[in-house]
Structures are given as structure tokens and as C-alpha cells.
Amino acid sequence: LALHHSAQFVLPEIISLADDPVFRVRKAAALKVGSLCAVVGESLALGRLLPVYETLARDEIWGVRKASVESLAEVAVVLPLEVRTQKLVPLLQEFYLDGSRWVRIAACQALGPFIATLPSESISAELLGLFTQLANTQNATASDSDIAYYCAFNLPAVAQAVTAARWHEVADAFRGLATNIQWKVRRTLSFALHELARILGQTLAESELLPTFDLFLKDLDEVKVGVVQSVCDFLAVLSPAARLKYLHSIVDIKAETDNWRFRHRLAEQLAEVGGIFPRGAVIETLVPLALDLCTDAVAEVRCASIAQIGKLLGLVFVDEPQPLADDSPLQSFLRSITGMASATSCYKRLNCVQICASLVSSLHTGLIVNHLLPALAPLAYDPVANVRLRLARLVKQQLLTSEVFVELPTTKDMVRAMRKDSDRDVLISINGNDFTPPPYRCKSCPADGGLGIGSSYSEIALSQLDSMRRDATCACACTAADHDSFATDAHAG
């Protein structure tokens, strides 16, 4: 609804329901006060909804007070800063000391989102201390519920609110959460580690977060996945010297676990990771890892790495001199890729086409003409249709659309060969979706009454139907003859 209609119809209704004798109605009103504040704006929220919210927050029924706590952060975002500090902070402290355990737990959960709405200078040490106590396993409230989990979830928002200058006030809470016995707490923190690094900056990230990063890399898979998923973002904050120490750790991720999801997440970041390390280190470690992931046993990993390898090689070898020297690392990698085109396994030949499709859009034109196209040309006659199909898509989408490649004799030869292909999907891919391929043909039907190569499926179906009718007629005739024979023998007996 528009602001005018919300103020005219919804606002009076919520105010009326907040005074309803049925506590469930008041509870529902308390849950919606925050959303309504966001719609009606600061003026109406301050003048009409804040008094109602304060009344609901001190309701005699704990369920209504708990609902008020859950709306606290939404209400705070709309109200002016002085109202937040003068009225809502004392109200939150009342919630924290409430007689109901459920209200206290809700206050602990709402503490982080509420602090995140305040600037650093408005966050008192006492208020921040209430939040950091949630990470303490000796805290009675925290030990009775999942409060440590909520503390870990809200820690990046609180750290951003207090800024890196006050990190020392939350550092103990961070270390406590990083060693919490519950893996779900550590997992939540592992997914936020790169955000904390961005907030703290290079110096504090190296001194405060690197020990935890090392710890999470050796933790359970449920925890480790968080740092693997954002490893590039985390390492990008570090200094080049500190970052370089972890290059081999990235490569070791593949060997340390059989979980293909780690390889998949690593494959998705190959190009980004290659951009934050020196060229020599990437050529020595990361490019071989990328080629290995391109031939992974899991299709998801192969697809992700193939999508990245073109960007990675294009980034690393952007200034490679032409023609390539025999001892050039790029020459060696291209030989490894093009060598797959003559492999006996059709899967490797298919992989070769997919990798080349990624390289065509990233590498220098001369490398594609001199190294990739000669290896791809024989695959236009590959015995496996899927290999020819993927090559047809590469030619149609990437070579024929380029002014450089479209006039090459190699390209024309591949197009000519695939336009005579026997597979309908290959013909559609190389000619375009508007192309209508010929109908399917039967390869061989020696006992079809003269129908064989060149006969369509409809002709074969009609022939088979006639044959079935003839067989049925013969069967009926044989049954009748057998019946007459049996009757004659019975009469003679």
C-alpha cells in the first residue's frame, strides 16, 4: 500500500489491535510494528508507533514482550539516532534482564542486529559487553540455547559497526567462537571470515584472523567449506608475502578430501585466485591444478574449471611472445590440451573440445590458429556424435561469428564436413535452429520385405504392421486346422 493509505487505514488498525484484550492479538501487532514503521516513515513512527511499541514491550504476557524484542531492530532502523540511544537501548537492557527466559534469549538474538544500527561512537562499552558475553560458554543464557550461533552470525555486522579501531573489544569473543565445541558455530564464522578480513584490513587480518584461517582449513568438512568458498576474497586482503604462503595450501585442498564439492568451489575461483598471485607461482602450481580439474571425474567440477581455464591462461600468458618457444610453459600446456584430441577415450576428446571453446575467447588469435584449430579439425569426423556435436557448437558460436576465423580454410573444412553429418543434432547445431534435418532413416532391415537403407520409420512401421497381420491370419488358420484334425480323430476313435 502507498504511504497515504497505510497511514490512513493500517496504522490506526494496528494501534487499536495493540490494545486488544486477547494477548495473541497484541502479540501479532507487536510482530508487525517494525514492518509498519518502515512503511510510514520516521515522523509517524516516532509520533504514533513508538508509544505503542513501548507499551507492548512492557506487556504482562511474556509472549507479547518476546514479539516486541523480535521487532526491535526493524523499529530502530527507522527512528532517529537520539531516540535509539535514549529510549531503545534502556529498553533492550530491560529485555536482557527480563523474568522470562524466552524473552532473555530473544534479547540475546536481537542484540547483534540492534548494535549494527548504531554508529561506533554511540555503542557503549557496556552494550558491546552484553554482546561479547554471548560467546562465553560460562554464560548461563548462552549455554541454554543456540546463543553462540547467533553471536557468530551477527559478529561481522557488529565488527563493521564498531570499526577496526575497537576490534580489541570483540577479539576475545571471536577467539571463543572460533574454538566453540559446536561445529555449526565454527561453520557460521568460517563463512564470514573474508568479511571480517575486509573490515579489519591487512595488518589486523594477518595478526588476528590468520591463525583461525589455518585452524578452519584443518577442521571438519562442514567448517572447512566456508573458508574454501571464499578463499580468494580472504587472501586478497593479505600482503603479497603472506598470501604467497597459502598458494600450496590451495593446491592441497584437492588432495586432502574426496568431497567433490571442495574441488567444485575451488574450480569456480581459479581465475580470481590467479589474479592475486605472481605469474611464475601461478604457472608452476595453479595452471597444472586447473588442467587437472578440467579432467575431473565429476561433471560439475569439469564444467566449472573449463569455464575458468580460458580466463586463467589468458590472464597469465597475456604478454607471451609469438611464436612460442619450445620451452615455453604455454607451449607445454597447449600440447597437453591438444594431445587429448587424439586420445582413445571419447571423454577426453570431448574434454579437449570444451577446453578449446574456453580458450578461443581468451587466447591470442595466433595461438588458436596455429595450435588449437589443427587439433580440432580431425574431430569433425569423430566416430562419437557427442564430440562432433560439441565441436559444431564451438564452430557455429565462436568461429563463424569471428571475422578472423570464418575465412580460414580449417574452419571451412570443418563446416563442410559437419554439414554432411549423419546426426540430426550435429546438423541443427552447425546450420542453426531454423534448419530442418532429414527424417531418421533405418540402417538395416534385411527381413522387412524389401525395405532397408533409405526407408523411413513410417514406411517400416506400416510394413511391420502388415507383417503382424499376416502372422495373425496364419496363426488363426493353423488353429482352425488343428481343431478339425482333432475332431476327426475323436470321431474315428
Side-chain angles (χ1 to χ4, degrees):
L1 294 176
L3 172 60
H4 173 72
H5 293 97
S6 298
Q8 183 178 359
F9 298 106
V10 181
L11 182 60
E13 192 69 24
I14 290 293
I15 294 174
S16 174
L17 294 175
D19 195 33
D20 195 275
V22 179
F23 82 90
R24 291 185 179 86
V25 177
R26 302 197 303 275
K27 177 181 177 181
L31 287 172
K32 297 303 178 182
V33 167
S35 301
L36 188 57
C37 284
V39 175
V40 300
E42 179 182 309
S43 178
L44 289 174
L46 180 61
R48 302 191 63 182
L49 284 178
L50 181 59
V52 175
Y53 179 77
E54 289 179 305
T55 301
L56 292 171
R58 296 182 174 92
D59 196 278
E60 62 180 4
I61 302 298
W62 69 265
V64 180
R65 300 197 302 273
K66 179 177 178 292
S68 302
V69 179
E70 294 171 358
S71 299
L72 180 63
E74 291 181 291
V75 174
V77 170
V78 180
L79 297 178
L81 177 61
E82 59 272 15
V83 176
R84 280 178 265 168
T85 55
Q86 294 174 12
K87 292 190 175 182
L88 296 188
V89 169
L91 195 60
L92 178 60
Q93 292 172 336
E94 291 182 26
F95 289 141
Y96 198 80
L97 301 174
D98 195 273
S100 169
R101 172 176 175 266
W102 301 110
V103 176
R104 295 196 303 271
I105 292 175
C108 293
Q109 295 173 0
L111 193 54
F114 176 74
I115 292 176
T117 66
L118 302 173
S120 179
E121 61 273 10
S122 300
I123 302 173
S124 64
E126 180 184 3
L127 182 62
L128 189 57
L130 293 179
F131 177 78
T132 57
Q133 288 175 12
L134 302 181
N136 186 359
T137 55
Q138 304 301 321
N139 187 328
T141 303
S143 62
D144 289 343
S145 64
D146 293 333
I147 295 302
Y149 170 79
Y150 290 100
C151 182
F153 184 84
N154 294 314
L155 184 63
V158 173
Q160 186 174 23
V162 300
T163 71
R166 297 180 64 181
W167 172 254
H168 61 279
E169 297 182 53
V170 298
D172 289 339
F174 169 77
R175 287 188 281 269
L177 293 170
T179 56
N180 192 283
I181 192 172
Q182 299 182 74
W183 64 263
K184 65 179 181 179
V185 175
R186 304 195 304 275
R187 172 185 168 90
T188 303
L189 205 59
S190 72
F191 276 94
L193 208 58
H194 66 290
E195 293 292 348
L196 289 173
R198 181 184 56 81
I199 293 168
L200 298 184
Q202 178 180 304
T203 303
L204 279 176
E206 292 182 7
S207 61
E208 296 288 333
L209 303 184
L210 271 183
T212 302
F213 181 77
D214 294 332
L215 184 66
F216 286 165
L217 278 177
K218 301 175 183 177
D219 211 317
L220 301 173
D221 281 359
E222 290 82 358
V223 179
K224 184 178 179 180
V225 65
V227 292
V228 172
Q229 180 168 300
S230 55
V231 63
C232 182
D233 294 333
F234 179 83
L235 294 179
V237 179
L238 308 181
S239 64
R243 187 187 307 150
L244 189 58
K245 297 178 182 177
Y246 287 92
L247 183 56
H248 288 284
S249 298
I250 293 176
V251 178
D252 291 340
I253 290 174
K254 177 182 180 298
E256 288 176 352
T257 178
D258 294 331
N259 192 334
W260 67 267
R261 290 176 177 83
F262 285 95
R263 304 196 300 275
H264 181 248
R265 285 180 167 83
L266 193 58
E268 292 177 322
Q269 305 175 72
L270 284 173
E272 295 179 3
V273 173
I276 64 174
F277 285 104
R279 178 178 183 271
V282 173
I283 294 174
E284 181 183 351
T285 57
L286 205 58
V287 173
L289 173 65
L291 292 176
D292 193 18
L293 291 174
C294 284
T295 57
D296 194 89
V298 179
E300 288 289 334
V301 179
R302 293 197 305 271
C303 292
S305 54
I306 287 171
Q308 292 285 311
I309 193 168
K311 301 175 185 177
L312 178 63
L313 293 183
L315 178 69
V316 175
F317 298 109
V318 63
D319 297 324
E320 192 74 7
Q322 303 292 328
L324 296 178
D326 290 338
D327 59 348
S328 168
L330 180 56
Q331 179 78 275
S332 175
F333 294 134
L334 290 179
R335 285 173 182 168
S336 300
I337 294 169
T338 56
M340 298 167 62
S342 57
T344 56
S345 171
C346 65
Y347 299 107
K348 290 188 177 181
R349 299 197 301 274
L350 181 60
N351 265 352
C352 175
V353 180
Q354 292 171 330
I355 295 172
C356 289
S358 179
L359 298 181
V360 164
S361 58
S362 303
L363 293 185
H364 189 273
T365 304
L367 296 175
I368 299 168
V369 173
N370 297 325
H371 296 271
L372 299 186
L373 293 187
L376 291 175
L379 297 180
Y381 304 93
D382 195 275
V384 178
N386 280 349
V387 177
R388 304 195 307 274
L389 176 61
R390 189 62 187 87
L391 180 63
R393 291 173 181 169
L394 187 158
V395 173
K396 181 68 175 178
Q397 298 171 7
Q398 296 179 266
L399 299 186
L400 295 182
T401 57
S402 169
E403 296 180 357
V404 178
F405 301 128
V406 69
E407 298 298 332
L408 293 177
T410 307
T411 303
K412 292 181 178 179
D413 291 342
M414 288 190 288
V415 171
R416 191 178 303 112
M418 287 185 289
R419 282 179 176 169
K420 298 178 182 178
D421 202 285
S422 59
D423 188 88
R424 289 167 55 93
D425 293 328
V426 175
L427 293 173
I428 293 174
S429 295
I430 196 64
N431 288 288
N433 292 329
D434 296 334
F435 176 76
T436 302
Y440 281 113
R441 300 290 177 174
C442 178
K443 293 183 178 179
S444 61
C445 296
D448 59 359
L451 295 174
I453 297 176
S455 301
S456 66
Y457 278 141
S458 59
E459 294 171 337
I460 296 171
L462 290 173
S463 174
Q464 290 177 342
L465 182 59
D466 291 339
S467 177
M468 292 170 61
R469 286 173 178 169
R470 289 195 301 268
D471 292 343
T473 302
C474 293
C476 292
C478 291
T479 304
D482 291 343
H483 180 271
D484 293 342
S485 176
F486 175 78
T488 303
D489 294 342
H491 180 71

